[in-house]
Amino acid sequence: RWQKIFMFPLWSKMAIFWNKMFLTIIVLLIVLFLDAVREVRKYSSVHVNEKAANVNSSAFDHIQMKLFRSQRNLYLSGFSLFLWLVLRRTVTLLTQLAKEMASHAALETQVNDATEAAKKYMAENERLQEALTGKGDSKKKESTDATEEKLKEEVERLKAELQKTSNAFHKAKTEVAAFKKQSEGLRREYEHLMEEFEQLQQSLNKAEDKKDL
Protein backbone atom coordinates (compact mmCIF):
# COMPACT_ATOMS: atom_id res chain seq x y z
CA ARG A 1 0.00 0.00 0.00
CA TRP A 2 2.79 2.43 0.90
CA GLN A 3 4.65 1.55 -2.29
CA LYS A 4 1.54 2.45 -4.30
CA ILE A 5 1.25 5.74 -2.42
CA PHE A 6 4.88 6.70 -3.00
CA MET A 7 4.68 5.73 -6.67
CA PHE A 8 2.33 8.63 -7.42
CA PRO A 9 3.64 10.90 -10.22
CA LEU A 10 3.24 13.88 -7.87
CA TRP A 11 6.19 12.80 -5.73
CA SER A 12 8.51 12.42 -8.72
CA LYS A 13 7.63 15.96 -9.80
CA MET A 14 8.22 17.29 -6.29
CA ALA A 15 11.54 15.47 -6.03
CA ILE A 16 12.99 17.73 -8.75
CA PHE A 17 12.47 20.80 -6.56
CA TRP A 18 13.12 19.08 -3.23
CA ASN A 19 16.81 20.02 -2.96
CA LYS A 20 16.11 23.63 -3.91
CA MET A 21 13.30 23.83 -1.36
CA PHE A 22 15.51 22.25 1.32
CA LEU A 23 18.35 24.73 0.70
CA THR A 24 15.90 27.63 0.69
CA ILE A 25 14.49 26.62 4.08
CA ILE A 26 18.01 26.12 5.46
CA VAL A 27 19.04 29.61 4.33
CA LEU A 28 15.85 31.11 5.81
CA LEU A 29 16.41 29.39 9.16
CA ILE A 30 20.05 30.51 9.25
CA VAL A 31 18.99 34.11 8.57
CA LEU A 32 16.38 33.94 11.35
CA PHE A 33 18.91 32.41 13.73
CA LEU A 34 21.52 35.10 13.05
CA ASP A 35 18.91 37.82 13.41
CA ALA A 36 17.83 36.35 16.75
CA VAL A 37 21.47 36.29 17.92
CA ARG A 38 21.84 39.94 16.95
CA GLU A 39 18.64 40.89 18.79
CA VAL A 40 19.69 39.03 21.93
CA ARG A 41 23.06 40.78 22.00
CA LYS A 42 21.44 44.13 21.32
CA TYR A 43 18.81 43.96 24.06
CA SER A 44 21.18 42.30 26.54
CA SER A 45 23.49 45.31 26.36
CA VAL A 46 20.55 47.72 26.51
CA HIS A 47 19.13 45.81 29.46
CA VAL A 48 22.36 46.18 31.42
CA ASN A 49 22.70 49.88 30.58
CA GLU A 50 19.10 50.71 31.48
CA LYS A 51 19.37 48.76 34.73
CA ALA A 52 22.50 50.67 35.69
CA ALA A 53 20.88 54.00 34.75
CA ASN A 54 17.84 53.35 37.01
CA VAL A 55 15.25 54.43 34.42
CA ASN A 56 11.51 54.20 34.97
CA SER A 57 9.92 50.79 35.37
CA SER A 58 7.82 50.89 32.19
CA ALA A 59 10.84 51.38 29.92
CA PHE A 60 12.76 48.69 31.82
CA ASP A 61 9.84 46.25 31.48
CA HIS A 62 9.61 47.00 27.77
CA ILE A 63 13.32 46.19 27.34
CA GLN A 64 12.87 42.96 29.30
CA MET A 65 9.98 41.98 27.05
CA LYS A 66 12.08 42.62 23.93
CA LEU A 67 14.94 40.57 25.40
CA PHE A 68 12.63 37.69 26.24
CA ARG A 69 11.14 37.65 22.75
CA SER A 70 14.56 37.73 21.11
CA GLN A 71 15.73 34.81 23.29
CA ARG A 72 12.58 32.89 22.44
CA ASN A 73 13.17 33.47 18.71
CA LEU A 74 16.78 32.36 19.13
CA TYR A 75 15.78 29.05 20.73
CA LEU A 76 13.00 28.37 18.25
CA SER A 77 15.08 29.15 15.16
CA GLY A 78 18.05 27.18 16.48
CA PHE A 79 16.02 24.08 17.28
CA SER A 80 14.12 24.36 14.01
CA LEU A 81 17.37 24.49 12.07
CA PHE A 82 18.79 21.50 13.92
CA LEU A 83 15.61 19.42 13.67
CA TRP A 84 15.31 20.19 9.96
CA LEU A 85 18.81 18.79 9.42
CA VAL A 86 17.91 15.73 11.52
CA LEU A 87 14.77 15.24 9.44
CA ARG A 88 16.79 15.43 6.23
CA ARG A 89 19.22 12.82 7.54
CA THR A 90 16.36 10.57 8.66
CA VAL A 91 14.72 10.69 5.24
CA THR A 92 18.06 9.85 3.59
CA LEU A 93 18.61 6.84 5.87
CA LEU A 94 15.07 5.56 5.37
CA THR A 95 15.48 5.82 1.60
CA GLN A 96 18.76 3.88 1.71
CA LEU A 97 17.20 1.29 4.01
CA ALA A 98 14.24 0.80 1.63
CA LYS A 99 16.61 0.31 -1.32
CA GLU A 100 18.71 -2.22 0.61
CA MET A 101 15.60 -4.14 1.67
CA ALA A 102 14.41 -4.28 -1.95
CA SER A 103 17.81 -5.55 -3.14
CA HIS A 104 17.79 -8.03 -0.24
CA ALA A 105 14.45 -9.46 -1.40
CA ALA A 106 15.68 -9.65 -5.01
CA LEU A 107 18.86 -11.47 -3.96
CA GLU A 108 16.87 -13.91 -1.85
CA THR A 109 14.64 -14.72 -4.83
CA GLN A 110 17.70 -15.20 -7.04
CA VAL A 111 19.29 -17.55 -4.50
CA ASN A 112 16.12 -19.63 -4.28
CA ASP A 113 15.92 -19.89 -8.09
CA ALA A 114 19.55 -20.93 -8.34
CA THR A 115 19.03 -23.56 -5.62
CA GLU A 116 16.01 -25.01 -7.40
CA ALA A 117 17.91 -25.15 -10.72
CA ALA A 118 20.85 -26.91 -9.04
CA LYS A 119 18.51 -29.50 -7.49
CA LYS A 120 16.90 -30.08 -10.88
CA TYR A 121 20.23 -30.68 -12.60
CA MET A 122 21.40 -32.96 -9.82
CA ALA A 123 18.24 -35.05 -10.18
CA GLU A 124 18.75 -35.32 -13.94
CA ASN A 125 22.36 -36.33 -13.34
CA GLU A 126 21.28 -39.12 -11.00
CA ARG A 127 18.75 -40.42 -13.53
CA LEU A 128 21.42 -40.46 -16.24
CA GLN A 129 23.78 -42.38 -14.00
CA GLU A 130 21.10 -44.97 -13.30
CA ALA A 131 20.36 -45.31 -17.02
CA LEU A 132 24.09 -45.63 -17.71
CA THR A 133 24.53 -48.53 -15.29
CA GLY A 134 21.46 -50.41 -16.69
CA LYS A 135 22.47 -50.33 -20.40
CA GLY A 136 25.62 -51.67 -22.05
CA ASP A 137 25.39 -50.12 -25.47
CA SER A 138 28.70 -48.31 -26.13
CA LYS A 139 27.25 -45.56 -28.35
CA LYS A 140 24.55 -44.72 -25.88
CA LYS A 141 27.15 -44.84 -23.14
CA GLU A 142 29.41 -42.37 -24.96
CA SER A 143 26.51 -39.97 -25.60
CA THR A 144 25.43 -40.35 -22.00
CA ASP A 145 28.99 -39.65 -20.82
CA ALA A 146 29.08 -36.50 -22.93
CA THR A 147 25.72 -35.40 -21.56
CA GLU A 148 26.89 -36.17 -18.06
CA GLU A 149 30.04 -34.08 -18.54
CA LYS A 150 27.94 -31.18 -19.78
CA LEU A 151 25.62 -31.56 -16.83
CA LYS A 152 28.57 -31.64 -14.43
CA GLU A 153 29.95 -28.46 -15.97
CA GLU A 154 26.53 -26.84 -15.74
CA VAL A 155 26.22 -27.92 -12.10
CA GLU A 156 29.65 -26.47 -11.30
CA ARG A 157 28.71 -23.23 -13.01
CA LEU A 158 25.47 -23.05 -11.07
CA LYS A 159 27.32 -23.77 -7.83
CA ALA A 160 29.69 -20.89 -8.57
CA GLU A 161 26.78 -18.57 -9.32
CA LEU A 162 25.02 -19.77 -6.15
CA GLN A 163 28.12 -19.01 -4.08
CA LYS A 164 28.46 -15.57 -5.65
CA THR A 165 24.79 -14.79 -5.05
CA SER A 166 25.02 -16.06 -1.47
CA ASN A 167 27.99 -13.75 -0.80
CA ALA A 168 26.07 -10.80 -2.20
CA PHE A 169 23.07 -11.78 -0.10
CA HIS A 170 25.12 -11.85 3.12
CA LYS A 171 26.70 -8.50 2.24
CA ALA A 172 23.30 -6.90 1.65
CA LYS A 173 22.02 -8.39 4.89
CA THR A 174 24.97 -6.89 6.80
CA GLU A 175 24.37 -3.47 5.22
CA VAL A 176 20.66 -3.59 6.10
CA ALA A 177 21.53 -4.42 9.72
CA ALA A 178 23.96 -1.48 9.83
CA PHE A 179 21.34 0.91 8.43
CA LYS A 180 18.79 -0.33 10.96
CA LYS A 181 21.26 0.24 13.80
CA GLN A 182 22.07 3.74 12.55
CA SER A 183 18.37 4.57 12.20
CA GLU A 184 17.72 3.38 15.76
CA GLY A 185 20.52 5.60 17.09
CA LEU A 186 19.15 8.55 15.17
CA ARG A 187 15.67 7.91 16.57
CA ARG A 188 17.00 7.88 20.13
CA GLU A 189 18.89 11.10 19.50
CA TYR A 190 15.75 12.71 18.09
CA GLU A 191 13.72 11.68 21.16
CA HIS A 192 16.42 13.09 23.44
CA LEU A 193 16.36 16.39 21.56
CA MET A 194 12.58 16.54 21.76
CA GLU A 195 12.76 16.03 25.55
CA GLU A 196 15.29 18.87 25.84
CA PHE A 197 13.10 21.06 23.65
CA GLU A 198 10.06 20.37 25.85
CA GLN A 199 12.06 21.20 28.97
CA LEU A 200 13.26 24.42 27.39
CA GLN A 201 9.71 25.29 26.33
CA GLN A 202 8.49 24.70 29.88
CA SER A 203 11.20 26.93 31.29
CA LEU A 204 10.29 29.65 28.77
CA ASN A 205 6.61 29.36 29.74
CA LYS A 206 7.52 29.66 33.41
CA ALA A 207 9.65 32.73 32.66
CA GLU A 208 6.77 34.28 30.70
CA ASP A 209 4.32 33.56 33.55
CA LYS A 210 6.66 35.22 36.01
CA LYS A 211 6.93 38.14 33.62
CA ASP A 212 3.16 38.48 33.48
CA LEU A 213 2.99 38.45 37.28
Side-chain angles (χ1 to χ4, degrees):
R1 182 180 301 174
W2 284 108
Q3 288 180 356
K4 292 180 180 179
I5 293 175
F6 286 114
M7 288 301 290
F8 285 162
L10 177 63
W11 305 122
S12 60
K13 294 179 181 179
M14 290 180 61
I16 300 175
F17 304 100
W18 170 247
N19 289 326
K20 294 181 180 179
M21 183 178 67
F22 172 75
L23 293 176
T24 302
I25 295 177
I26 286 294
V27 171
L28 180 61
L29 290 175
I30 290 174
V31 170
L32 292 175
F33 180 76
L34 294 177
D35 182 70
V37 172
R38 182 183 64 82
E39 292 292 325
V40 168
R41 295 181 62 182
K42 174 183 175 182
Y43 288 108
S44 295
S45 60
V46 173
H47 175 75
V48 174
N49 294 332
E50 294 294 337
K51 187 176 182 181
N54 294 323
V55 296
N56 54 11
S57 60
S58 62
F60 186 73
D61 291 339
H62 181 72
I63 293 171
Q64 281 187 329
M65 181 184 67
K66 291 287 187 180
L67 178 61
F68 172 75
R69 288 181 178 177
S70 60
Q71 289 175 345
R72 180 194 61 189
N73 294 335
L74 175 65
Y75 294 139
L76 291 177
S77 59
F79 273 105
S80 298
L81 178 62
F82 182 75
L83 292 177
W84 185 249
L85 293 173
V86 170
L87 179 63
R88 170 72 174 186
R89 182 60 179 167
T90 303
V91 171
T92 303
L93 289 176
L94 289 176
T95 304
Q96 293 177 354
L97 180 61
K99 291 180 180 178
E100 291 297 330
M101 290 178 68
S103 63
H104 172 78
L107 286 174
E108 187 175 1
T109 304
Q110 188 176 0
V111 168
N112 293 331
D113 293 339
T115 304
E116 293 296 330
K119 290 180 179 179
K120 180 180 178 181
Y121 282 115
M122 291 295 292
E124 291 181 358
N125 189 15
E126 291 178 358
R127 286 198 299 268
L128 288 173
Q129 287 180 353
E130 291 176 358
L132 205 146
T133 55
K135 296 181 181 180
D137 191 9
S138 60
K139 292 183 179 180
K140 290 183 180 180
K141 186 176 180 180
E142 290 177 358
S143 62
T144 305
D145 289 337
T147 306
E148 183 181 358
E149 290 296 327
K150 290 181 180 179
L151 287 174
K152 285 182 179 180
E153 293 176 358
E154 186 68 20
V155 168
E156 293 296 329
R157 185 181 66 81
L158 287 173
K159 285 183 179 179
E161 290 181 358
L162 180 62
Q163 183 65 30
K164 183 178 179 180
T165 307
S166 179
N167 294 333
F169 172 74
H170 288 300
K171 182 179 179 181
K173 188 176 181 181
T174 304
E175 292 178 355
V176 168
F179 278 121
K180 286 184 179 178
K181 185 177 180 181
Q182 190 174 4
S183 299
E184 183 65 23
L186 187 61
R187 183 184 63 81
R188 289 195 297 268
E189 184 179 356
Y190 177 76
E191 292 177 354
H192 179 67
L193 288 172
M194 288 302 298
E195 291 177 359
E196 292 183 354
F197 180 74
E198 290 179 357
Q199 293 175 1
L200 182 60
Q201 188 67 32
Q202 292 177 359
S203 63
L204 288 175
N205 292 333
K206 290 180 181 179
E208 189 173 5
D209 293 339
K210 290 181 180 179
K211 177 64 182 177
D212 293 337
L213 294 175

